[in-house]
Amino acid sequence: MGRYGEQLWSPNPAAPLRGRRTGVYRPYYPDPLAGSPPVLHKDLIARATAIEVGIRSLTSTVVVSLDQLADFLLRAEAVASSRIAGIQVAPQQVALAEFAAGAGSDNVVEGFSVNARRVARNIAALRRAVTDLPGTEAITVDGIVSLQRTLLPGHRHTGPRSVQTWLGGSEWNPLDAAFIPTPPSDVVRLMTDLVAYASGDAHPPLIQAGLVHAQFETIQPFDNGNGRVARTLIHAVLARRGLVTPAVLPISLAFVSRSDRYVTALAAYCHDGPPGGRAAHAALNQWLTFFLDSLVVAIEEARTFAEEIAELRRSWDARLTAFRERTVVVRNRPREPATVDRLLTVLSTSPVITATSAARILDVSVQAAWAAAEELVGAGILRRRQIGRGATGYLNREISDLLTSAERRLLAVKQG
């Protein structure tokens, strides 16, 4: 799948004395994908096709509408992808940060961390990947750079890098690095090839998504945000090929729960040898087998999330009914669906609301939205929280807790 080259490292004069080393380092040059798509074993293609059938069947087999599930799955994927990048934050804080960034936040929202804001940007980038990129004639380098800018607003150096980067080892030189991607002079060439492959259909969708992800991680075209953009591209490719839209599969949950295998499989992709050889086939097979295994886990997690959200809704309905039976003011409630019942339906997609944002979502008056939210507080479904100066938010922690439960469930399976 490529070759390792040799380059001479000249020390940085600004480095401390211990970092001013001269030596040979070995950057990796992956084979192009569009120029020469790898030939894959028929059993691998057959398995990918079978898994694709399972993904397409999600629309008819999940117990809640996939449209209802879409925002929740998108949030789950972005939280897990950020965690892989070392950005760890409670899902409840992410919900606050996402609310603050959205159109529904009319006040200054407080109470969340810088990391929560970073995850909220990851959610925004993922949403763009599955809505904007699929509608374009082709995936472009500029389109991918726009995802990086969404992730890293204000970052000084967005777009293809102009310096050599590396993973692991010293911060001053790559001589002891764990992996050294291609030199900057080859980044644009490889990215041009990558977007051509990502925009085509040389392989089935799942194979294509897996190869795009691994190739991007191997090129490391940016100086920051590579991993998160690479995982986002999985969903951009699948959305372009018509899989699971408008939802995404929480594949990063599978990655984060099997992180050692994830790193090992990506490392195996960078095999040194001629394309088409036995060793290259073994390297491709190791990565794609792991990737397909992770997709199977992600499909099951999507189904589990759907069941858990449906069970939560039944629990909310029961609590609301019990609360209404304990109160007198609602005995003459009209038969048409009340605002409070409609508000319950949107909680899985909007775990943080205000009376103003709920009014906008439901197209009712602010007073009606406030009354509905207060009734859900009384039923123990929402809780009040001051989220800014003069702003009262209504939060549902149970939806956010599903993400934490999923991570624990997958880690338990791994340890078992």
Side-chain angles (χ1 to χ4, degrees), residues 53-120:
V53 171
I55 293 173
R56 293 189 186 278
S57 74
L58 278 174
T59 304
S60 58
T61 58
V62 293
V63 294
V64 298
S65 163
L66 205 59
D67 287 348
Q68 277 185 270
L69 194 58
D71 275 358
F72 178 85
L73 288 176
L74 187 143
R75 192 175 295 114
E77 171 63 12
V79 168
S81 180
S82 298
R83 192 175 293 264
I84 294 171
I87 303 170
Q88 188 162 333
V89 62
Q92 192 78 39
Q93 284 218 339
V94 175
L96 279 169
E98 188 183 10
F99 178 81
S105 55
D106 296 316
N107 300 279
V108 177
V109 179
E110 302 168 340
F112 58 87
S113 64
V114 171
N115 275 351
R117 193 186 299 277
R118 289 172 179 155
V119 179

Side-chain angles (χ1 to χ4, degrees), residues 308-338:
E308 289 176 334
I309 288 173
E311 178 58 33
L312 260 183
R313 178 57 197 265
R314 288 190 289 269
S315 170
W316 294 341
D317 288 340
R319 278 181 263 171
L320 181 59
T321 298
F323 175 72
R324 286 172 171 172
E325 288 174 351
R326 294 195 304 269
T327 61
V328 178
V329 295
V330 297
R331 287 184 178 173
N332 296 321
R333 180 175 298 280
R335 292 186 178 181
E336 67 270 22

Side-chain angles (χ1 to χ4, degrees), residues 252-274:
S252 291
L253 266 178
F255 289 165
V256 79
S257 66
R258 308 150 87 220
S259 55
D260 292 345
R261 287 186 58 196
Y262 179 43
V263 172
T264 299
L266 276 176
Y269 180 84
C270 301
H271 176 75
D272 191 2

Side-chain angles (χ1 to χ4, degrees), residues 8-180:
L8 180 65
W9 180 259
S10 298
N12 182 349
L17 188 60
R18 66 180 183 279
R20 296 181 197 172
R21 293 174 56 194
T22 299
V24 173
Y25 64 98
R26 303 187 69 210
Y28 185 75
Y29 298 80
D31 288 328
L33 289 177
S36 55
V39 177
L40 303 171
H41 196 280
K42 62 181 181 180
D43 289 347
L44 200 63
I45 298 290
R47 185 168 184 235
T49 303
I51 295 171
E52 181 183 335
V53 171
I55 293 173
R56 293 189 186 278
S57 74
L58 278 174
T59 304
S60 58
T61 58
V62 293
V63 294
V64 298
S65 163
L66 205 59
D67 287 348
Q68 277 185 270
L69 194 58
D71 275 358
F72 178 85
L73 288 176
L74 187 143
R75 192 175 295 114
E77 171 63 12
V79 168
S81 180
S82 298
R83 192 175 293 264
I84 294 171
I87 303 170
Q88 188 162 333
V89 62
Q92 192 78 39
Q93 284 218 339
V94 175
L96 279 169
E98 188 183 10
F99 178 81
S105 55
D106 296 316
N107 300 279
V108 177
V109 179
E110 302 168 340
F112 58 87
S113 64
V114 171
N115 275 351
R117 193 186 299 277
R118 289 172 179 155
V119 179
R121 290 170 182 157
N122 202 350
I123 295 171
L126 185 53
R127 185 173 280 112
R128 289 193 63 186
V130 298
T131 55
D132 295 355
L133 294 188
T136 60
E137 182 177 347
I139 294 177
T140 65
V141 174
D142 285 345
I144 295 175
V145 171
S146 73
L147 298 179
Q148 186 203 22
R149 289 187 179 129
T150 301
L151 275 173
L152 304 169
H155 187 60
R156 291 181 60 190
H157 304 294
T158 55
R161 56 184 167 82
S162 58
V163 297
Q164 181 67 64
T165 57
W166 58 89
L167 303 177
S170 167
E171 65 176 300
W172 296 107
N173 64 70
L175 301 181
D176 299 316
F179 176 71
I180 307 168

